[in-house]
Structure formats: structure tokens, C-alpha cells
Amino acid sequence: MGEFELIRRHFQRAGQVARPSVALGIGDDCALLKPQPGCQLAVSTDMLVEGRHFFEGVDPEALGHKALAVNLSDLAAMGARPLGFTLALALPQADEAWLAAFARGLFALADAHACPLVGGDTTRGPLNICITVMGEVRPGLAMQRSQAQVGDDLYLTGRTGEARLALELMQGTDWATQACGAQALTQHPELRRRLERPTPRLELATLLAVLGNAVHAAIDVSDGLAGDLGHILAASGVGAEVALGQLPTAPALALLPEARRIDCLLNGGDDYELLFTVAPIARAAVEAAAQASHTPLQRIGRISAAPGLRVLDASGHAVAVSARGFDHFA
Ligand code: ADP
Ligand code: MG
């Protein structure tokens, strides 16, 4: 199977679903997209490298899902609506079964969010998946990291920490297996699901964006809640208080000793949840949007004038946290 046959068989046919956002898809030198008149184009790229972002031999269907999910999560964090995506793929060999499963996972999520594959590049090399998503958003409605305001409520979708715990258990890390048991990944299938099949929160995000002025800053939590919240605080020149007791905690995380649990909740990574700030006046509207989009949502704290992040326990005492997000070069 040559390069063009590979593209045609696995990516072109499935990618040619007619969409109003695409004037011309795969097969020419460029794709032609049709954002709605007056909209801004939102663009984001994320790369997944074998051995760095995923294990060798990981289920290719889950990998197809995750490669797109982490990109759609970035669109969600801006409140942008998907228009389409490109896929740059380096493959060690053209393995039919692997490609079919990868494409299945990829297109299931793409179709669920009406985000067609419009182009890409395919080459031989160590397994590497790079996706660029494009979306559209009305001017002034994008949720930027720099827009948090003192007094805002702080909201988190879903819950954090499970992907990190799954990773530790898969690697056989002592503290994780001692606390959760050798069968933890079987007993808690949601852990692996959270690591391998994150849910981009696009439905809620697009509802939030149209709430307009009251919804201020947002970020998707990919490198740990504390670190990613830190990006909002730094960009906005504000601080935050987070109530530890308000952080939704998965059953498996409850098995961990307290310090490990707090570390997973705050510095987990790979969560792909949405963290955003909203003027309290819009509380009812935000909670209605969460209901309408069937998105689990929790108010976890508020934005304050004093800089820095304070995590408070049930009695209001500050808990010591290292708010260091994941850094590939640290
Ligand atoms: P060019 O040489 O003009 O860059 P290519 O030969 O690389 O074009 O690709 C031919 C067509 O197939 C282009 O439309 C390109 O966008 C598309 N394509 C290549 N690889 C992929 C892929 N992995 N997924 C989707 N489309 C792809
Ligand atoms: Mg090319």
C-alpha cells in the first residue's frame, strides 16, 4: 500500500462527509474552509509522540480518539466551534489493522463534533501524530486566559486526577499500587478511560461563549489544575482561592493517602477538563448551560485580588501546594 492509497483508504473516504464548513477537503494542495462571515478563526496544534505522550502498543482506536480530543479541548477552552482539522502522521509502517482502528477512533469523535478531516501529511518515521484544529468564534466572545476578574466564580467541569492515577498504576508505581491494590485498573475501569478517552467539553464551551460578557477567562486543564489555573492568574494579574473540599474526587482517588490525593487532584495532568471564571451574576445561567449540555460542573472557588493560588481545607486553613504544571523541559 503506497502513501496515496493509504490516505485514500483510511482518511479520505471517511473525511469527505459534506459539511457546510468545508468548500474543498482532502485531495488538493490546500483545503478551503468557510467560516461564517465576521467570525474569527481559532487555530490550535497538539502533537502526540510515542513513548512521551502514550505507551508503545497502546490501543490505536483510543489513540485516534485522544489525538483529536486533546485538540478539540483547546477549541473548547476558547469557546470556538469546530470547522475542521488536519492530521500530520509519521508511521513506522503501513499496518492495515492499526490504521483502520486509529481512523475509527478518530472519526467517531470527529463526527460527534461535526469536525471533518480536511487534509494532512503522511510520512514514514517514528510514530508521531500531529493534529491542527480550526474553529470559529464571534469577535469578543473567545474566552481568553487574561480576562479573569476579581470576584469571579471559578468553575471546573468533571474531575481531575484520574488520568494521573491511571498512568501511575499502569507504570506500577509503588504508592499507587499499595494504596489501590494490584487489581485497581480492573476494579476501576473509569481510570483508564479517563487517561485514554478524554471528553472535550465543547458543548458546554459553546454555550458559555454565547453567554457573552459575564463569562471571562477559560483554560483546558491538561498539565494539572494548579499549574493551569496559574496560567489564568498570571495572565489576568489576579489570585484565586480554591476549596479543597469542593474538588470532585473519584472513588479510586479516595483510596490514596491525603498528600497523594491532593497531588493527583491539583497536579495530575491529562485531565482535559474546562476551568473557567464567571461573574457571580451569571451563576444561574452557567448552571443551566451545564444542565443543558449534560456536563458535570462544580464551583470550586473564586478569583481574588491578592496574587497567587490559595488552596483551603474544610476549616479554611491554607494547604501547602506546589503549583508546578507539567513541563517537558524542566
Ligand atoms: P502535497 O504534496 O501537495 O503536500 P500530499 O501528497 O502530501 O500533498 O497529500 C495529498 C492530499 O492528501 C492533500 O490534500 C493532503 O492534505 C491529504 N493528506 C495527506 N496526508 C493526510 C492525512 N494523514 N490525513 C488527511 N489528509 C491527508
Ligand atoms: Mg504533503
Side-chain angles (χ1 to χ4, degrees), residues 127-292:
L127 183 57
N128 187 321
I129 303 154
C130 184
I131 286 180
T132 298
V133 281
M134 286 145 290
E136 62 183 2
V137 62
R138 297 251 162 243
L141 293 189
M143 303 184 288
Q144 298 176 41
R145 296 178 183 186
S146 57
Q147 291 170 348
Q149 291 178 22
V150 174
D152 279 357
D153 287 330
L154 186 61
Y155 285 94
L156 176 71
T157 63
R159 52 196 192 195
T160 56
E162 284 159 290
R164 162 80 182 285
L165 181 55
L167 191 63
E168 301 286 357
L169 287 165
M170 288 165 77
Q171 291 174 327
T173 308
D174 282 346
W175 61 258
T177 41
Q178 274 162 21
C180 302
Q183 302 305 312
L185 287 168
T186 322
Q187 285 161 353
H188 298 276
E190 72 280 6
L191 291 177
R192 247 187 118 122
R193 212 157 46 231
R194 291 283 300 152
L195 177 66
E196 295 183 345
R197 292 187 169 266
T199 306
R201 302 295 189 181
L202 276 166
E203 293 89 350
L204 175 63
T206 42
L207 292 178
L208 291 177
V210 298
L211 288 181
N213 288 338
V215 182
H216 295 149
I219 192 169
D220 70 316
V221 179
S222 55
D223 296 330
L225 174 59
D228 285 328
L229 175 54
H231 292 312
I232 289 186
L233 303 185
S236 300
V238 295
E241 273 143 32
V242 167
L244 198 52
Q246 297 292 103
L247 294 181
T249 304
L253 258 76
L255 303 170
L256 298 175
E258 188 179 31
R260 292 288 184 194
R261 183 171 67 246
I262 293 175
D263 190 45
C264 282
L265 287 170
L266 294 176
N267 300 311
D270 254 358
D271 298 303
Y272 300 102
E273 294 296 350
L274 211 56
L275 178 69
F276 57 95
T277 84
V278 186
I281 192 168
R283 201 174 277 182
V286 165
E287 283 161 18
Q291 283 214 326

Side-chain angles (χ1 to χ4, degrees), residues 45-56:
T45 297
D46 257 312
M47 181 156 63
L48 266 67
V49 176
E50 185 176 69
R52 164 86 19 205
H53 300 97
F54 58 91
F55 296 117
E56 195 184 333

